Amino acid sequence: MNLRAIAMGLGFALMWSSAFTSARVIVTYAPPMASLSLRFLVSGLLGIGIALALGQTFRLTRAQWRATIVFGICQNALYLGLNFIAMQTVEASLASIIASTMPLMVALAGWVVFRDRLPILGIVGLVLGVLGVMLIMGARIEDGVDRYGVGLCFIAAAALTVATLSVRGASSGGNVMMIVGLQMLVGSVCLAVTAALFEPMHLEMSWQLVVAFIYTTLVPGLAATWVWFTLVNQIGAVKAATFHFLNPFFGVAIAAALLGESLGVLDVIGVAVIAAGILAVQLSKQKPTAT
């Protein structure tokens, strides 16, 4: 892994983790699904415009179209949609911690469902991840956390797991920015229909809402997604996913710094344990380098 890939991985982790804080601000002033649908519409049109300017086309392979649709539904409509709804009652730091368990869910699904071989280090990582989540959730439940919102966060993380498994098919074959734009439009349509049918409309305009919306649209929405697809295409999904171990740290740090969310001792310990578990699982998947 070269320095460029490392820089891209660090940048992705930072941008991805910051999305929870900006989302928490947005849902304070606007309906979650409608605002997220608008965000994806803007990001998607920008992405397609940039792709066309770069000479990319709509001619995707069948595998790319399939992966783009699955990614758009699972990550954008389900994962982010459920997280936006949950963050009306759940703190951004807790939502980011739950979402960061996605690599553990991927490893567990491969081990249990697909019978993939998981080395001892990977099993240790899964155990550490579960222990870390139990530490954090035990402390939060005692403090009266909204269990419905937490449940939505875990369902969202499962949807993100499915989305991650589809990335490889979407990132191969070129047209990366076009794929980024198209999968956002898929999410926008799904959320717009859902919002029109089920979501009551309320809007309180403020400069915080405007700044958070612009930031979420351009940085975690457009830039981070492009970086992720590009990184996976360059170094593979397994190596790229290693950077997810930084997400618990970045997520709670940004929420604490910008939103003033408090962190207990068990939160800090749990975040460290989860991060160690994610790193162990990802390292267990690495193939030894030939010498």
Side-chain angles (χ1 to χ4, degrees):
M1 191 182 302
N2 56 37
L3 290 176
R4 182 171 182 267
I6 292 174
M8 290 178 65
L10 291 173
F12 163 77
L14 186 61
M15 290 186 288
W16 189 89
S17 300
S18 69
F20 295 91
T21 295
S22 57
R24 177 74 167 165
V25 174
I26 290 173
V27 300
T28 302
Y29 300 98
M33 288 187 288
S35 57
L36 191 57
S37 175
L38 179 60
R39 166 198 154 179
F40 284 137
L41 176 62
V42 175
S43 295
L45 293 176
L46 284 174
I48 291 173
I50 294 172
L52 292 174
L54 293 174
Q56 298 180 17
T57 69
F58 292 98
R59 291 193 296 272
L60 308 181
T61 66
R62 181 177 298 179
Q64 285 179 320
W65 277 114
R66 182 173 58 251
T68 299
I69 293 171
V70 171
F71 197 82
I73 294 173
C74 290
Q75 170 167 295
N76 296 337
L78 291 176
Y79 162 67
L80 287 171
L82 291 174
N83 264 307
F84 264 56
I85 295 172
M87 276 189 285
Q88 293 177 107
T89 56
V90 173
E91 290 186 335
S93 56
L94 181 57
S96 68
I97 290 169
I98 295 173
S100 69
T101 62
M102 180 273 295
L104 301 176
M105 292 186 179
V106 171
L108 183 61
W111 187 30
V112 174
V113 179
F114 301 108
R115 304 297 181 186
D116 292 341
R117 179 180 174 272
L118 191 63
I120 296 297
L121 182 60
I123 296 174
V124 171
L126 286 177
V127 173
L128 286 174
V130 172
L131 289 175
V133 171
M134 289 176 62
L135 280 173
I136 293 171
M137 294 311 302
R140 294 300 181 101
I141 288 174
E142 287 185 2
D143 292 338
V145 70
D146 178 38
R147 300 188 184 190
Y148 175 72
V150 168
L152 291 181
C153 288
F154 275 108
I155 296 173
L160 180 59
T161 300
V162 177
T164 300
L165 295 175
S166 74
V167 170
R168 187 172 183 177
S171 60
S172 59
N175 284 329
V176 174
M177 183 55 74
M178 181 63 72
I179 293 168
V180 170
L182 290 173
Q183 56 92 14
M184 288 181 178
L185 291 186
V186 170
S188 178
V189 171
C190 293
L191 288 165
V193 172
T194 306
L197 292 175
F198 303 108
E199 188 171 63
M201 294 299 295
H202 69 276
L203 180 64
E204 181 183 343
M205 288 301 300
S206 68
W207 69 265
Q208 294 96 330
L209 173 62
V210 174
V211 171
F213 184 85
I214 293 174
Y215 175 83
T216 305
T217 300
L218 298 180
V219 182
L222 194 59
T225 306
W226 177 82
V227 169
W228 176 247
F229 276 110
T230 304
L231 187 64
V232 169
N233 201 35
Q234 288 185 1
I235 66 175
V238 172
K239 289 184 178 179
T242 305
F243 290 99
H244 276 285
F245 90 95
L246 294 170
N247 291 330
F249 292 112
F250 286 157
V252 298
I254 294 171
L258 297 182
L259 300 180
E261 294 185 1
S262 60
L263 295 175
V265 175
L266 289 181
D267 289 328
V268 176
I269 296 174
V271 164
V273 172
I274 291 172
I278 295 171
L279 184 58
V281 166
Q282 294 307 129
L283 291 177
S284 72
K285 298 180 183 178
Q286 304 286 344
K287 296 179 179 180
T289 305
T291 56

